[in-house]
């Protein structure tokens, strides 16, 4: 498993990972998290991914040279979350390609996010996630050392912000 910094040229690979994650989630019966349509098939979603990538640093995990996961680290959350009021690193667009689910890709990316946060001399790492599906994703982040902070809604989509301090 290798983690490398991504760039604008990685947009197709990142969209493919996100699309695969949607298929995997739907296969698990989870349709409310990211919907049932691919990211790449929705122009507004593609624009949002491009914008997020341009606001921060995209990272790609490769396994045997194949993109297996991604995240983008930004110095602020997305538009629906208030900034922390102090320097922070925010994990956005974290996803694992469905073919690599269960191989520690997400955990490796989150460990890399911690290392990057420390490297920047920042003491706060935050992430937000879907709070539905019996809180399974919240529990995943808690197992990775994050603590719940605030709940939020985007329309009827329930979310949870979590943080780690260093």
């Amino acid at each position: 498993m290798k983690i490398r910094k991504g760039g604008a040229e990685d947009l197709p690979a990142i969209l493919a990972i996100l699309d695969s994650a949607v298929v995997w989630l739907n296969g698990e019966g989870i349709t409310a998290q990211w919907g049932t349509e691919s990211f790449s098939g929705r122009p507004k979603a593609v624009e949002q991914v491009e914008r997020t990538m341009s606001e921060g640093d995209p990272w790609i995990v490769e396994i045997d040279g194949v993109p297996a996961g991604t995240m983008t680290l930004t110095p602020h959350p997305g538009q629906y979350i208030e900034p922390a009021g102090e320097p922070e690193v925010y994990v956005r667009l974290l996803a694992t390609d469905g073919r690599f689910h269960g191989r520690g890709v997400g955990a490796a990316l989150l460990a890399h996010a911690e290392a990057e946060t420390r490297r920047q001399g920042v003491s706060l790492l935050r992430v937000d996630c879907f709070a539905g599906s019996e809180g399974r994703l919240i529990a995943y982040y808690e197992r990775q050392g994050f603590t719940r902070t605030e709940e939020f809604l985007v329309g009827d989509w329930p979310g949870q912000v979590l943080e780690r301090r260093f």
Side-chain angles (χ1 to χ4, degrees):
M1 192 177 307
K2 175 186 154 195
I3 299 177
R4 67 170 176 82
K5 193 167 188 179
E9 68 280 2
D10 289 302
L11 178 64
I14 290 171
L15 287 170
I17 291 166
L18 292 167
D19 289 350
S20 176
V22 169
V23 170
W24 184 87
L25 286 165
N26 288 185
E28 294 292 305
I30 303 168
T31 58
Q33 182 173 333
W34 281 351
T36 57
E37 293 181 51
S38 67
F39 274 72
S40 60
R42 295 181 285 139
K44 287 187 181 200
V46 173
E47 285 176 24
Q48 186 257 329
V49 171
E50 287 178 307
R51 185 172 40 257
T52 300
M53 289 173 63
S54 73
E55 293 172 359
D57 295 320
W59 295 91
I60 308 280
V61 169
E62 294 178 340
I63 295 178
D64 298 326
V66 177
T70 186
M71 73 176 169
T72 297
L73 299 178
T74 62
H76 55 79
Q79 64 185 8
Y80 46 86
I81 303 293
E82 287 294 318
E86 65 181 275
E88 68 179 307
V89 172
Y90 211 95
V91 177
R92 298 173 63 193
L93 300 175
L94 176 66
T96 299
D97 184 300
R99 297 172 293 171
F100 298 96
H101 194 269
R103 295 188 52 189
V105 171
L109 283 165
L110 290 170
H112 187 76
E114 176 186 341
E116 280 297 304
T117 302
R118 290 177 185 272
R119 186 188 64 74
Q120 293 176 29
V122 175
S123 61
L124 178 61
L125 175 64
R126 293 200 305 162
V127 64
D128 63 74
C129 69
F130 180 59
S133 296
E134 297 85 45
R136 288 186 282 183
L137 195 49
I138 296 168
Y140 171 79
Y141 284 114
E142 288 174 330
R143 288 191 303 274
Q144 301 301 316
F146 286 82
T147 303
R148 296 177 200 208
T149 58
E150 64 194 78
E151 297 175 353
F152 65 96
L153 282 173
V154 177
D156 61 355
W157 191 91
Q160 176 71 54
V161 178
L162 299 101
E163 71 178 23
R164 285 189 67 187
R165 289 197 171 270
F166 310 103

